[in-house]
Amino acid sequence: MEEKFNKWFNAFILIGMTVAIVLTTVLKFGATESGRIGLLIAAFGSLMGILAVVCSANGRILTFLFGLLDVAIYAVMCFINWKRGGAGLGNAIINGLYFVPMQFIGFAQWKKRGAEAHKQVNARRLSGKQWMLFSALFLVGTIVVYFILCSVDKEAAGKFLRVAVLMDAVSMVCNILGQYLLSTAYMEQWIFWILVNIASVIMWSVSLHQTSDQYSAIYVVKYAFYLLNSLNGLRIWINLSKRHDDCKEQVQQG
């Protein structure tokens, strides 16, 4: 019953997020005469990202193959945009120097924890001390990133976008912490991914309310699908981590 539900749910998420990516690409494709190849490459990377998050929710090691393609393409596209005089250097650096290496680390860690192409990873849970550490990192990191973003864009920080700036800070910190916990196979990663997606929905909803931009509406839908996937991921990984704890208990008793 659960396996059948997961198949249908995964199909729903994949189709929904793919439609959002396609719509965004089509709109941008029609609005520009140049850079269309870059748009198609970016769309391909985004599609790989969709496959990665669905695989990660189901504890499948292929998440790191798709994830590597996603973050590597995004890093290169951000770097190219920066070289052309636009923004993106920060995203290029963090994706190239952090998220790309973490895909290799994650693959190695999951292999050690029994993950194979058709076998789920043996998930684990944070201890009480680890929970305290990651909670502190989240709070301190969010505060620091928030004030950095405010100092960079003082006009936005002083207006309604202060909420969006805070959500951007939350999203950035949770992405970093979530990736580490994903690569090391901890169930609690999904709490951070849920926060990422809630923050992103709020951020793009604020943008939609203020600008009525069609891109913002699509991104709201896109991150709503990501949120549903992360909630399902939490459900699956709670069971995976319970299974691992039960096995440890049986070994200790034996």
Side-chain angles (χ1 to χ4, degrees), residues 139-166:
L139 290 173
V140 173
T142 300
I143 292 170
V144 171
V145 172
Y146 172 76
F147 282 108
I148 290 174
L149 292 176
C150 287
S151 65
V152 171
D153 192 351
K154 294 181 179 179
E155 182 180 356
K159 295 183 179 180
F160 74 93
L161 285 176
R162 184 169 295 179
V163 174
V165 173
L166 176 59

Side-chain angles (χ1 to χ4, degrees), residues 20 37 43 67 130 145 167 196 228:
I37 294 178
Q130 288 173 319
V145 172
M167 293 301 102
V196 167
L228 290 174

Side-chain angles (χ1 to χ4, degrees), residues 2-14:
E2 181 178 352
E3 185 177 348
K4 186 175 181 180
F5 169 80
N6 283 335
K7 285 182 179 180
W8 282 103
F9 189 86
N10 291 339
F12 170 70
I13 294 296
L14 285 169

